[in-house]
Amino acid sequence: MSRRDLIDPASRIPLDAMRAMMPEGLQSIPDITERRAAAAAMALAVEAPDNPNVTKEDRTVPGPDGAPDLTVRIYRPVDQAGPLPGLYYIHGGGMILGDLASEDDVATKICDAVGAVVVSVEYRLAPEHPHPAPVEDCYAGLVWTAKSATELGIDPQRLAIYGGSAGGGLTIGTALLARDRGGPALSFMMPIYPMIDDRNETLSSHEITDIGLWDRATNIEAWAWYLGGKDADQYAAPARAGDLAGLPPAYLDVGTVDLFRDEDIAFAQRLMQAGVPTELHVHPGSYHASEMFAPDTALSQRIWAHRLDALRRALA
C-alpha cells in the first residue's frame, strides 16, 4: 500500500490537483528563487479574505547584534481592551521558503479566535542565511516583543510562541535560547508538526517519499541548506537537545502521513519525561500542512478546533 492511500480522502483532493500540475512537487524546481515564487503562489491560492475583526501593522525592529533589522507584523483584535495575551508567531517553509504574507491568514485567524495580540516575524532564510541566522532572528524578535509588551498591549505573564513545520522547529529552538540565555519568559509553546531532526533516521522519514509535500528528498536538501555544511546543535535541530527541562508547557500535533510524525512523537514523549506539561495530538489521515491546503475538510476543522481550544486554555 502506498502511503498516499492513507490520506484522508477529502484532504487529498487539493493535493492531487497540485500533483497534476507539478508531478514531482516543489522540489522539482531547482532554483530557490523560482521555488519560493511557486510556494508563494500556492499560499495565495488558499488565502482567506480580510478579517474586519483584526487590524495589522508592520514595523521594523532590531535584529541580532551586527545583523539587519527585522520586519514584524502585529495583529490586534478590534474592540478588545488590553492587556491581552500575546502570541509570537514564526512562519514555516522548511527554513528555505515562506514569509509574513504566506501565513497572514493563519496569524489573522488565531488573533481573532483567541483574542490575542499576535506578532509575526520575518526571519532570514537558508541557503543564503544558514543556521544560526534564522533562529537568532526569531530570538531577537521575541526579545523585542517582550520588551515592548506594555506598548503592544500584551500581558507579559501570558506570552506564548507558535510556529508550524520549520516555524515549529524555530519555536522550540527560540524557546531553548530563551531558557538558556535567561531571556523572555514564555507561558506556553505550540510547535505544530515541527521540523526538528536533521538525521532523517526515523521510520516516518523513510516512509514519506511520494506525497508531494515535504517528502524525504526535500527534507534532506533543506537540512543541508539550513546547516550550510556545519554540524547541527540543539538550537538548529531541537531533537538533539540533551535537556528539555525548563521549557514552557507545550502542545504538539502531527499527522500520521507526515514525514515528521515519529520525531515529533518522540520529542513530545521526551518533554513529558522532562516534566514539561505536554499535549500531543496525532491526526489519522493528515499529511504535512494538510489543514492549510484543505482548510474546509472535517479533518482540518478538527485540527483547528483542538489548537484553538488549547491556545484559549493556555492564555486564559
Side-chain angles (χ1 to χ4, degrees):
M1 174 185 290
S2 167
R3 295 298 169 187
R4 292 175 59 82
D5 296 332
L6 300 175
I7 294 173
D8 169 65
S11 300
R12 183 170 168 168
I13 294 171
L15 180 63
D16 286 346
M18 186 201 75
R19 287 295 295 270
M21 294 185 295
M22 194 181 302
E24 301 302 321
L26 282 174
Q27 64 265 32
S28 64
I29 305 174
D31 181 81
I32 189 60
T33 302
E34 294 177 6
R35 193 184 303 187
R36 287 172 183 156
M42 290 169 58
L44 288 173
V46 293
E47 187 176 26
D50 285 340
N51 186 330
N53 299 322
V54 175
T55 64
K56 306 173 190 178
E57 174 193 3
D58 287 358
R59 285 202 202 175
T60 301
V61 306
D65 289 344
D69 288 343
L70 305 170
T71 299
V72 298
R73 181 167 296 170
I74 303 161
Y75 303 78
R76 292 186 179 88
V78 173
D79 297 330
Q80 289 204 35
L84 298 173
L87 187 74
Y88 186 68
Y89 188 105
I90 305 176
H91 71 75
M95 313 294 183
I96 59 176
L97 307 171
D99 53 22
L100 289 175
S102 66
E103 295 187 28
D104 184 77
D105 57 331
V106 179
T108 301
K109 177 190 186 86
I110 293 173
C111 174
D112 186 23
V114 178
V117 176
V118 176
V119 179
S120 182
V121 62
E122 187 90 89
Y123 56 89
R124 289 171 290 173
L125 299 174
E128 298 93 334
H129 304 285
H131 178 72
V135 73
E136 289 289 357
D137 282 357
C138 292
Y139 181 72
L142 175 65
V143 169
W144 176 84
T145 300
K147 287 182 177 179
S148 306
T150 300
E151 176 197 353
L152 295 171
I154 291 174
D155 177 357
Q157 303 302 314
R158 294 185 291 163
L159 178 59
I161 185 169
Y162 174 103
S165 192
L170 289 166
T171 288
I172 302 169
T174 301
L176 285 165
L177 285 174
R179 180 197 69 179
D180 296 345
R181 293 177 178 175
L186 292 166
S187 63
F188 187 67
M189 67 176 180
M190 186 174 276
I192 299 301
Y193 36 73
M195 175 181 175
I196 55 174
D197 196 342
D198 62 299
R199 292 165 290 195
N200 291 284
E201 294 174 348
T202 66
L203 287 176
S204 62
S205 75
H206 285 274
E207 290 171 7
I208 307 302
T209 59
D210 65 347
I211 300 299
L213 276 174
W214 217 258
D215 296 333
R216 178 174 176 82
T218 312
N219 197 51
I220 290 172
E221 177 187 59
W223 273 110
W225 280 350
Y226 182 47
L227 295 176
K230 298 179 181 178
D231 292 336
D233 61 18
Q234 65 177 350
Y235 308 114
R240 292 182 175 271
D243 180 12
L244 301 181
L247 287 174
Y251 176 106
L252 292 85
D253 73 34
V254 68
T256 55
V257 199
D258 190 324
L259 178 146
F260 298 138
R261 181 194 68 212
D262 293 348
E263 64 196 64
D264 293 349
I265 293 171
F267 191 81
Q269 290 176 317
R270 290 188 57 218
L271 284 170
M272 298 175 205
Q273 292 161 1
V276 177
T278 301
E279 184 172 348
L280 170 67
H281 290 260
V282 182
H283 296 286
S286 179
Y287 54 86
H288 191 68
S290 65
E291 84 287 359
M292 297 181 74
F293 285 88
D296 297 326
T297 66
L299 172 59
S300 296
Q301 293 184 20
R302 287 197 300 273
I303 290 170
W304 272 114
H306 286 302
R307 288 181 193 166
L308 295 174
D309 174 66
L311 285 169
R312 292 186 188 106
R313 286 185 280 113
L315 297 173

